[in-house]
Amino acid sequence: MSPNGYSDSFYAEDLTADNDRKNQAVIEQARAQGRINDEAAAYLSELYSDSIKWFREVFYFLGKCFGAPKAPVMRYDYATDSAIDEPIKVSDINPLSPYIVHHRLDADPMRNQFFTSGAGHKIDLAVSSIVTVIVGAQKNVNRALDKVTGKYYAAYVDDVCDAVYRVISNRKNDASARAVSDKVREKLTEKYISTPAETVLSIIGGGHEDIAVELVRALDKVRRPRMRLQDVWRAKCLFDLIPQARTFIERVCAMMPDRILSVRDNFYDMKNPRNYRDAKLIIDIGTDGHIVPMEIICQVRTFFEFERKTHGHYEIARHNETKKTASVIKTSNTIERKLADFMEKGVREYNLMICQCLEDLFDRVGWNILYSQGTNVSMFDGFPKPCKLYYPPKILDIIVDKLDGAIENEVFRVKNAPAKLTQAQESEIFHFMARFILVAAMPYFGQDWTVSPDTMAGKLFNFVMTEVQRYYKKSSK
């Protein structure tokens, strides 16, 4: 028998079914109290019923993407952000307990490119094809309700008011648009309302039929608060390098295009206040036409280690999200700046690893040229795999143009080639290295931060990333 008195054969199912009943009661209570309306209650009820079924869909999805685990599956502890040394069976997996599992990314474009060699035959991979997957437990229903009625509802109200102001200001004067928008905000903050068109039309009254149709169309496009809740089911995938994460995302999009709800790539994003770098994939794991979103966060290991250390600050920021007093806003802004500065250190730590990878590649350039003589085949062909989620092509054009000038002036030269290289050969090598930096490194805020220029790898890294910073600086003006 299990510790809670359930039979061993049905422990996971019985435990989950009991929790489902408790969740449904919480949702119904929230509806009865007016915290949410019938639409939101119906949506949440679906996400929090048949939980063992949806959790198995998460499990099956990961199996389709990665295949069998490459190591024992372990329980995961949120408090310590680490695995518990306690292997679990598939039959023990349930929505109430997170677990961690290691898979291999078969399509890894970096496979076996980066390694360190020890004495004799000892080789250790510096960058592996292993992906660590942390499968989160079902989000607590009270936390989900807090999001739907708090953070998400506030964003929804802002979007509704912005849409109203935009449509009316195009037809009427600014004062009229602002007055109606303010009335709409006041009405929506009185209680939970997810039918904005009815509310807005009742406020503007008759005599405005010319803009009513346009208003309804604009408001129908505003995403409802309940639909912003997409992480009841979630997993986090940890990769060594960004190109591996992007290969995974592109592979999933190609495998199941009909199940992709959204894709967001923030590895290059320097505009979010916390300087947070990851990619997010929302997959529909629902059946029979019912949409059940699953959130997949893709992150690099180096950055994850820094993220773990910010949980305390993040909890304070999250607690203050719905409070708008001057002191709270000032505190939140201070926390946001601290988080951004700390995360910048994570970006730099990751980039130092990329620079080391670049150094490893340079060490093998001579062998690459020697082996490829007369074959017209490079050891680096197809590596890294061309990626659709990339910088704007204009950045590459600018860098290539300036790089060619630097090669011509012998600022960049290959020093370990087995024979004298033509300028075209040197250009091909440095173009490849520059593309690797662009596809693998993260842009950063610090204008004064550089890696050591004592090596060719460091010099080239600084050259490429300086041009990236210049491009973003011009784009922001």
Side-chain angles (χ1 to χ4, degrees):
M1 296 289 288
S2 72
N4 294 322
Y6 297 107
S7 63
D8 290 332
S9 58
F10 294 102
Y11 174 56
E13 288 86 348
D14 290 345
L15 184 68
T16 302
D18 185 48
N19 194 65
D20 282 347
R21 287 189 289 271
K22 293 177 182 177
N23 287 339
Q24 294 299 319
V26 171
I27 294 167
E28 174 56 29
Q29 183 182 35
R31 187 199 64 78
Q33 293 173 343
R35 287 187 67 195
I36 55 176
N37 59 12
D38 292 345
E39 290 177 333
Y43 181 72
L44 287 169
S45 293
E46 183 163 42
L47 294 187
Y48 282 92
S49 62
D50 295 326
S51 295
I52 197 75
K53 170 187 173 182
W54 300 132
F55 204 63
R56 281 173 178 161
E57 289 296 326
V58 173
F59 185 83
Y60 294 151
F61 167 80
L62 294 171
K64 289 175 186 176
C65 293
F66 294 116
K70 301 304 176 187
V73 179
M74 301 284 188
R75 297 191 188 278
Y76 188 75
D77 181 20
Y78 282 134
T80 60
D81 273 327
S82 59
I84 301 171
D85 190 14
E86 179 187 343
I88 56 176
K89 298 179 293 185
V90 172
S91 58
D92 293 332
I93 293 174
N94 67 78
L96 308 183
S97 302
Y99 70 89
I100 186 169
V101 59
H102 301 284
H103 292 279
R104 183 184 297 281
L105 181 64
D106 292 331
D108 178 14
M110 305 296 177
R111 179 178 289 183
N112 301 331
Q113 290 290 344
F114 304 114
F115 53 85
T116 56
S117 54
H121 60 277
K122 294 182 180 178
I123 299 294
D124 293 317
L125 288 177
V127 174
S128 76
S129 301
I130 297 299
V131 183
T132 299
V133 182
I134 302 169
V135 182
Q138 179 190 65
K139 178 181 282 294
N140 180 279
V141 69
N142 288 303
R143 175 68 185 132
L145 281 166
D146 288 343
K147 278 195 167 185
V148 170
T149 59
K151 174 183 178 180
Y152 295 154
Y153 190 74
Y156 156 78
V157 171
D158 288 342
D159 290 346
V160 168
C161 293
D162 288 345
V164 169
Y165 176 81
R166 186 174 62 253
V167 172
I168 297 179
S169 63
N170 286 338
R171 299 289 194 94
K172 310 289 182 180
N173 60 53
D174 186 80
S176 297
R178 184 65 61 195
V180 174
S181 177
D182 289 344
K183 287 181 181 179
V184 170
R185 184 178 296 278
E186 182 181 355
K187 196 73 175 176
L188 292 182
T189 52
E190 289 176 0
K191 65 175 183 177
Y192 187 98
I193 299 173
S194 61
T195 51
E198 295 177 15
T199 302
V200 173
L201 293 179
S202 68
I203 288 174
I204 67 173
H208 298 283
E209 289 78 8
D210 57 328
I211 62 172
V213 173
E214 190 176 349
L215 271 171
V216 170
R217 286 175 179 167
L219 294 172
D220 283 346
K221 295 178 182 178
V222 176
R223 196 162 47 136
R224 305 303 186 250
R226 65 183 185 278
M227 301 307 295
R228 300 173 191 236
L229 180 69
Q230 299 181 319
D231 60 347
V232 171
W233 307 107
R234 59 264 173 93
K236 177 171 284 190
C237 299
L238 303 180
F239 303 83
D240 283 350
L241 300 175
I242 289 174
Q244 295 170 325
R246 290 190 166 136
T247 295
F248 166 71
I249 293 171
E250 290 181 2
R251 186 182 183 191
V252 172
C253 292
M255 284 173 58
M256 47 191 77
D258 295 339
R259 288 187 171 269
I260 304 297
L261 296 177
S262 67
V263 178
R264 184 207 70 194
D265 182 351
N266 278 358
F267 285 121
Y268 292 165
D269 182 19
M270 295 190 291
K271 295 179 180 178
N272 67 84
R274 291 174 187 156
N275 198 18
Y276 198 76
R277 310 297 183 90
D278 65 5
K280 181 185 290 186
L281 192 63
I282 306 297
I283 294 289
D284 179 16
I285 59 171
T287 56
D288 303 323
H290 297 277
I291 294 178
V292 177
M294 171 191 174
E295 179 187 75
I296 306 166
I297 298 293
C298 298
Q299 204 170 38
V300 293
R301 294 183 205 279
T302 305
F303 206 74
F304 176 70
E305 292 302 318
F306 276 80
E307 179 204 9
R308 289 172 56 186
K309 301 172 185 176
T310 66
H311 284 182
H313 286 94
Y314 175 71
E315 287 300 321
I316 295 173
R318 189 173 75 177
H319 181 71
N320 291 337
E321 278 173 348
T322 58
K323 299 178 181 180
K324 302 296 183 181
T325 64
S327 61
V328 167
I329 291 174
K330 183 178 179 181
T331 300
S332 296
N333 290 340
T334 301
I335 291 174
E336 297 287 6
R337 283 195 300 272
K338 287 181 178 180
L339 286 171
D341 291 342
F342 189 73
M343 289 303 192
E344 182 76 358
K345 295 177 182 177
V347 172
R348 294 178 183 182
E349 190 72 22
Y350 172 79
N351 281 342
L352 286 172
M353 181 182 68
I354 296 302
C355 204
Q356 182 58 56
C357 289
L358 192 67
E359 189 75 48
D360 294 340
L361 290 176
F362 267 115
D363 286 343
R364 305 202 319 265
V365 165
W367 292 102
N368 174 38
I369 296 166
L370 185 64
Y371 286 140
S372 64
Q373 281 184 340
T375 65
N376 294 319
V377 177
S378 169
M379 287 173 64
F380 296 144
D381 277 354
F383 161 74
K385 174 180 166 288
C387 185
K388 297 172 186 175
L389 302 169
Y390 204 60
Y391 284 110
K394 189 175 181 181
I395 292 183
L396 184 58
D397 293 341
I398 293 171
I399 290 173
V400 165
D401 184 56
K402 292 190 175 183
L403 187 56
D404 284 341
I407 294 169
E408 187 175 348
N409 293 323
E410 298 190 349
V411 174
F412 294 113
R413 295 180 58 195
V414 176
K415 297 180 180 179
N416 61 342
K420 183 173 176 57
L421 301 177
T422 66
Q423 187 172 312
Q425 288 174 316
E426 294 221 350
S427 178
E428 183 182 357
I429 291 166
F430 283 106
H431 283 190
F432 165 79
M433 298 296 187
R435 288 197 302 274
F436 170 73
I437 295 170
L438 284 174
V439 78
M442 290 187 201
Y444 45 87
F445 283 117
Q447 299 287 336
D448 58 343
W449 184 78
T450 57
V451 301
S452 173
D454 294 341
T455 64
M456 189 63 69
K459 189 189 298 186
L460 181 63
F461 183 90
N462 292 334
F463 176 88
V464 171
M465 297 311 286
T466 297
E467 293 304 322
V468 169
Q469 286 186 321
R470 283 176 181 165
Y471 177 87
Y472 276 113
K473 190 175 181 179
K474 289 179 181 178
S475 301
S476 64
K477 290 182 178 178

